[in-house]
Amino acid sequence: MDEGLKNLIAKAERGDVEAMVMVGDCYNRGFHTDKDDSMAQAYYKRAADYGHIGASFMVGLGYLYGTGVKKNKVAAAKYIQLAADNGLANAQYVMGLMYLSGDVGAFFKNQNAAKYYEKAAKQGHADAQYDLGEIYFTEWSKGNKHRFDDGLFWMLCAALHSSEKSLKTRNKARNFIDSAIIQRGYPVESIKEVIAQIRRNHPDYINDPK
């Protein structure tokens, strides 16, 4: 362990919340010390208990996947939902995944998943946009004719991302649009109109959250 990390630990022990998170990051990634998931989670939890939203998300992921702590889906949902309800896009997306998989609640899972996906999607989260589009297209295929436009809108948002971070999702969305929409006869001009609307009215939707 180098001196820089020792200094961060000293700050964390004095109650510096940002230092707690940075120490957690060091143990989580093996920066300046050996990787230690248990120590990472211990420092993230200390920061989370002080109200740090990013740390709450990391604690929740630890409980969800059993990283550094014993798996506990109830605790995972508690910490991830706290981060999601305080505006963290990645946490909102994971809450959507948890609802859809049945890890949180047994009823109205699609509606609850869509609620959290939309929160993340409006912040430019490409995966949330894609998954939200899929939910709406599934509802449309089951007879809810009003969901086609919603599904197309969010799938196009996912397809319009330009960052390397969203490359896989962007390509997946473009393939979906081509095979499930264009090749089935939906007018390309109508798709271009929606694209123009997104670029004009919702540019933040096609930029990944920081």
Side-chain angles (χ1 to χ4, degrees), residues 57-84:
F57 180 51
M58 295 303 295
V59 172
L61 290 180
Y63 281 123
L64 181 62
Y65 297 116
T67 305
V69 290
K70 186 177 180 180
K71 275 189 178 182
N72 185 328
K73 290 183 179 179
V74 173
K78 171 188 170 183
Y79 282 98
I80 293 171
Q81 184 166 6
L82 178 64

Side-chain angles (χ1 to χ4, degrees), residues 86-113:
N86 278 276
L88 191 65
N90 283 332
Q92 292 163 349
Y93 176 63
V94 173
M95 279 303 299
L97 291 175
M98 292 181 73
Y99 271 113
L100 204 60
S101 66
D103 287 336
V104 182
F107 302 103
F108 307 109
K109 63 179 186 178
N110 279 20
Q111 293 93 322
N112 285 315

Side-chain angles (χ1 to χ4, degrees), residues 128-192:
Q129 292 166 349
Y130 182 90
D131 287 0
L132 183 58
E134 272 202 323
I135 286 176
Y136 287 151
F137 275 119
T138 299
E139 291 182 6
W140 168 72
S141 71
K142 292 179 178 179
N144 188 341
K145 63 181 181 180
H146 301 293
R147 284 309 191 191
F148 180 87
D149 289 345
D150 294 328
L152 178 62
F153 177 86
W154 288 115
M155 197 62 71
L156 284 172
C157 285
L160 288 170
H161 281 257
S162 60
S163 72
E164 191 69 24
K165 173 182 175 182
S166 296
L167 177 63
K168 183 177 179 180
T169 303
R170 179 182 76 218
N171 290 339
K172 187 168 62 169
R174 290 179 179 180
N175 288 336
F176 183 98
I177 292 164
D178 181 58
S179 61
I181 301 174
I182 295 176
Q183 290 186 23
R184 294 186 181 185
Y186 190 78
V188 174
E189 288 305 314
S190 296
I191 290 176
K192 289 180 178 178

